[in-house]
Amino acid sequence: KRADAVRLLEQSGEVDIIITDDGLQHYALARDIELVVVDGARRFGNACLLPMGPLREPVTRLKRVDAIICNGGEPGRGEYPMALVADQPRRVCDDAPLAAPLAGPVDALAGIGHPPRFFATLEGLGYQLDQQVAYGDHHPFDRDELVGRFAGKPLLMTEKDAVKCRAFALDNWWYL
């Protein structure tokens, strides 16, 4: 429960700012500023709410936010442009930076809202992708599911996914 988590953070006295992912529709959370990040390539899909479309709130809700940030693509009128830039890969199990470029084909997985964007980023960085495995957003990875499937070639994943895999990650698993 996000509201409970926020209360615990506030009570700790150790935070000044709390940023939540996908928090717009959580009305139990008090907020001072609302920022929305829009996928610049996909925009609002069919503009329907879940489960018929990709939205958790109607597009009209954007009229009441403080800023709309457009991630990639062409920003709309009044939107702020943003572009993610990949950093050097880091090893999932210990955050060690990649010492030398990965040679040969690699596998990739992504459990995010739009996995093809991550795979395109990897290809843009020059990686030759063998397996490209897309999971649902917020997928709960487990050891048995991944170790057998991705034990050979180096595996690249998002940082969001790496957090869930750290406890059982192999030495040749990396994240951006």
Side-chain angles (χ1 to χ4, degrees):
K1 293 184 178 178
R2 290 175 189 238
D4 292 345
V6 167
R7 272 192 289 283
L8 285 172
L9 287 169
E10 289 173 332
Q11 290 169 3
S12 76
E14 297 179 21
V15 298
D16 296 314
I17 297 171
I18 298 171
I19 299 172
T20 66
D21 181 33
D22 293 336
L24 191 65
Q25 74 277 10
H26 291 276
Y27 291 100
L29 295 176
R31 69 274 319 268
D32 296 312
I33 298 172
E34 289 183 323
L35 306 176
V36 173
V37 179
V38 172
D39 182 320
R42 296 184 307 152
R43 302 297 298 174
F44 307 109
N46 64 1
C48 291
L49 300 179
L50 291 168
M52 298 300 292
L55 304 180
R56 292 180 176 97
E57 289 283 316
V59 175
T60 56
R61 176 70 170 84
L62 296 177
K63 294 176 184 175
R64 300 190 317 268
V65 303
D66 295 285
I68 301 170
I69 302 162
C70 180
N71 179 20
E74 194 63 37
R77 191 168 151 248
E79 295 179 353
Y80 295 90
M82 173 189 133
L84 292 175
V85 178
D87 202 355
Q88 178 182 11
R90 302 186 78 81
R91 192 168 30 226
V92 175
C93 61
D94 61 7
D95 290 322
L98 181 63
L102 297 171
V106 300
D107 289 333
L109 72 78
I112 58 175
H114 189 57
R117 175 179 279 182
F118 178 66
F119 302 142
T121 296
L122 294 175
E123 289 172 333
L125 293 171
Y127 290 104
Q128 177 190 347
L129 303 183
D130 189 7
Q131 289 189 83
Q132 298 178 42
V133 183
Y135 293 89
D137 198 11
H138 305 288
H139 184 78
F141 296 106
D142 67 58
R143 183 185 195 289
D144 294 337
E145 173 183 27
L146 299 182
V147 170
R149 185 171 194 170
F150 299 109
K153 291 182 280 311
L155 173 65
L156 290 166
M157 65 181 72
T158 69
E159 186 171 13
K160 177 181 174 180
D161 297 323
V163 170
K164 300 174 200 172
C165 300
R166 189 170 316 255
F168 54 84
L170 302 180
D171 285 342
N172 64 344
W173 291 8
W174 304 88
Y175 71 88
L176 295 185

